[in-house]
Amino acid sequence: MDFGLVLQTDPPASAVVGLMRRAERNGFRYGWTFDSAVLWQEPFVIYSRILEHTTELIVGPMVTNPGTRTWEVTASTFATLNEMYGNRTVCGIGRGDSAMRVAGRPPNTLARLGEAIDVIRELAEGREASVDGNPIRLPWVRDGKLPVWMAAYGPKALAMAGAKADGFILQLADPYLTETMVDAVRTAASDAGRDPDSVTICVAAPAYVGDDLAHARDQCRWFGGMVGNHVADLVSRYGEHSDVVPDALTTYIKQREGYDYSHHGRAGNPSTDFVPDDIVDRFCLLGPAEAHIEKLRTLRALGVDQFAVYNMHDAKETTIDTYGSEIIPALNS
């Protein structure tokens, strides 16, 4: 199983670079960041520094979207980093939550997202693609490689991930929901004539190592609120109880009363008081190292190829170091 580290690009950027270097030393293979231009610093600038100061770490956004950057610019940026540092990027992409809503725009449609996945990959790997009806190619790209991984929860998005994406990003670590959604992605890949095992499965969720569960829950409760934004969209589309969206994903948002993006992804987010303890326990990895190892083994058995640690809490260094000394070796021994 691979491991990734997910950070927000809060200033100073040097601290983000330092944590990514620490992660690589501890056996993490991927370095991810949020991508929301208003809320945080520009991640692609920081990726260049991370790549310069690491040797093998693969970097990318979790996740970008097809609305805040034009597709040829996104492709060119990835291709430039790959030319400089040797194909060490991955494009995580979704419809767009914070990046779009904070700027006063709704998330992108699935149709737009699906088109963008194809175009960005084609251009970044040096092939011709059509942008707004105009065929273009990046003529300077040589031997470029850009895996595009799609974040999804709902049935149509899961089907698109299986049909089009090189990887599937699931932003929660509940085993039941993981099994259900991985099965949906694999089925969609097979229906599209693809090898289901060719789609990399990445589960991303907060991890907090320690014996004080109450404190760990409070540090990670924000995640239930973040997921709740996407769940609210699904409830709006499919209804509170639906045959295609599991109740295990939707019922906890009944007490949700809006969301303040100024606290997005941060411990102590006041917009997440509605998130109950059992959701934090299901969606995150909490407790002593042994509890993390047990849950990760369960996820691995369900087909998860990578666990990406959302590291937005008061124990960033300890989490990275404990994963490196105890948890990653146990999963890869």
Side-chain angles (χ1 to χ4, degrees):
M1 177 181 271
D2 283 334
F3 287 83
L5 183 72
V6 189
L7 299 174
Q8 295 168 335
T9 51
D10 289 314
S14 59
V16 178
V17 175
L19 287 170
M20 290 298 187
R21 294 179 68 188
R22 190 182 197 119
E24 184 178 56
R25 292 195 301 269
N26 277 282
F28 289 76
R29 291 195 61 231
Y30 286 77
W32 303 92
T33 74
F34 283 32
D35 178 17
S36 187
V38 174
L39 297 177
W40 300 288
Q41 292 183 320
E42 171 54 41
F44 285 91
V45 175
I46 299 172
Y47 296 157
S48 187
R49 296 291 290 174
I50 294 169
L51 290 165
E52 182 181 2
H53 289 283
T54 56
T55 58
E56 297 182 356
L57 198 71
I58 298 166
V59 305
M62 189 177 281
V63 293
T64 193
N65 73 87
T68 55
R69 307 173 192 275
T70 59
W71 304 349
E72 69 272 22
V73 170
T74 298
S76 181
T77 304
F78 277 112
T80 301
L81 291 171
N82 283 338
E83 189 278 327
M84 293 172 69
Y85 300 104
N87 288 336
R88 289 169 54 200
T89 66
V90 56
C91 178
I93 195 168
R95 292 177 60 226
D97 177 29
S98 63
M100 295 295 288
R101 297 187 204 268
V102 167
R105 301 191 292 270
N108 297 271
T109 64
L110 278 177
R112 180 174 172 83
L113 174 58
E115 185 181 357
I117 288 172
D118 292 336
V119 169
I120 291 168
R121 184 197 293 116
E122 293 296 291
L123 291 177
E125 295 187 350
R127 295 181 293 275
E128 183 178 285
S130 177
V131 178
D132 296 327
N134 182 43
I136 61 174
R137 185 175 67 86
L138 305 180
W140 48 268
V141 174
R142 298 288 184 274
D143 302 318
K145 185 67 177 175
L146 182 66
V148 182
W149 297 8
M150 179 179 161
Y153 292 109
K156 292 181 179 179
L158 294 169
M160 180 174 287
K164 285 183 173 288
D166 301 296
F168 163 50
I169 297 172
L170 175 59
Q171 292 165 308
L172 54 79
D174 173 75
Y176 168 74
L177 291 172
T178 298
E179 182 175 20
T180 300
M181 294 184 185
V182 169
D183 284 349
V185 170
R186 300 284 198 214
T187 298
S190 180
D191 290 345
R194 306 176 68 197
D195 177 3
D197 292 331
S198 70
V199 182
T200 302
I201 306 297
C202 174
V203 161
Y208 197 105
V209 184
D211 295 324
D212 188 344
L213 281 178
H215 180 72
R217 287 174 181 138
D218 286 343
Q219 286 291 302
C220 298
R221 198 174 306 276
W222 62 266
F223 184 66
M226 187 184 84
V227 174
N229 292 329
H230 304 286
V231 173
D233 287 344
L234 293 176
V235 170
S236 176
R237 177 180 294 270
Y238 296 104
E240 187 173 329
H241 300 287
S242 166
D243 293 336
V244 294
V245 181
D247 285 352
L249 178 62
T250 61
T251 54
Y252 83 96
I253 69 163
K254 287 181 180 180
Q255 305 303 316
R256 182 178 182 270
E257 298 179 353
Y259 190 82
D260 182 354
Y261 280 93
S262 65
H263 305 284
H264 187 57
R266 301 188 186 280
N269 185 337
S271 299
T272 61
D273 291 344
F274 71 93
V275 180
D277 287 351
D278 71 293
I279 287 293
V280 184
D281 292 347
R282 282 172 46 206
F283 285 10
C284 305
L285 273 72
L286 311 174
E290 294 78 11
H292 291 242
I293 292 167
E294 180 180 2
K295 191 166 188 177
L296 286 167
R297 284 175 173 160
T298 298
L299 293 171
R300 184 177 62 183
L302 295 174
V304 175
D305 300 298
Q306 179 183 154
F307 177 62
V309 176
Y310 275 108
N311 205 27
M312 296 86 178
H313 48 57
D314 64 2
K316 294 181 178 66
E317 290 83 1
T318 299
T319 299
I320 294 169
D321 293 347
T322 305
Y323 263 72
S325 63
E326 299 182 48
I327 297 170
I328 293 175
L331 268 293
N332 291 328
S333 60

